[in-house]
Structures are given as structure tokens and as C-alpha cells.
Amino acid sequence: MKVSVQAVAVWGKAAPSHSITAVLITDDQQTVVTGSQEGQICLWDLSSDLKISSKEILFGHTASVTCLAKARE
């Protein structure tokens, strides 16, 4: 069974100033989480028509964020 996946640009018309190194989409597909080479974690709201808007930027990592995983409930 072949599954097609639609590509989504998570930054709109202009790329962010940080280098995205990891991406995670929540199970409800309403939030995208990105990790960056600069150590930032960004949360993005994803609408049903695939429009993305920034929600939060988390600072504090001293190294690149190269992997993201969700915690168990």
C-alpha cells in the first residue's frame, strides 16, 4: 500500500534565523515542535488548512536539539 505524504513548510514565506534539526508533530496534529541547531525548541500551531503560526520558543539547551520525542502519558 503506497501512502502519499504532503510536505509542509513550518515557517511561512521566510525561513527562520535558526537551523531546524528535529521535527515532531503531536498525535492530534495541531502542534508542530521543532528543535534547532542553536538549542531552541519552538512550538507551532497547525490549523486544519495547514497554516502555521508560532506559539512559543523555549530556550535553555546549551547544545543542538537533534532529536524530539513525546513523553508517555
Side-chain angles (χ1 to χ4, degrees), residues 3 10 21 42 48 63 69:
V3 177
V10 296
T21 53
C42 301
S48 59

Side-chain angles (χ1 to χ4, degrees), residues 15-38:
S17 60
H18 61 274
S19 304
I20 293 174
T21 53
V23 176
L24 174 111
I25 299 175
T26 58
D27 290 339
D28 63 6
Q29 298 182 349
Q30 294 181 1
T31 303
V32 176
V33 183
T34 59
S36 74
Q37 187 173 7
E38 293 76 20

Side-chain angles (χ1 to χ4, degrees), residues 17-18 36 38-42 56-63 65:
S17 60
H18 61 274
S36 74
E38 293 76 20
Q40 300 167 349
I41 296 175
C42 301
E56 294 181 62
I57 298 177
L58 309 173
F59 299 93
H61 286 84
T62 56
V65 177

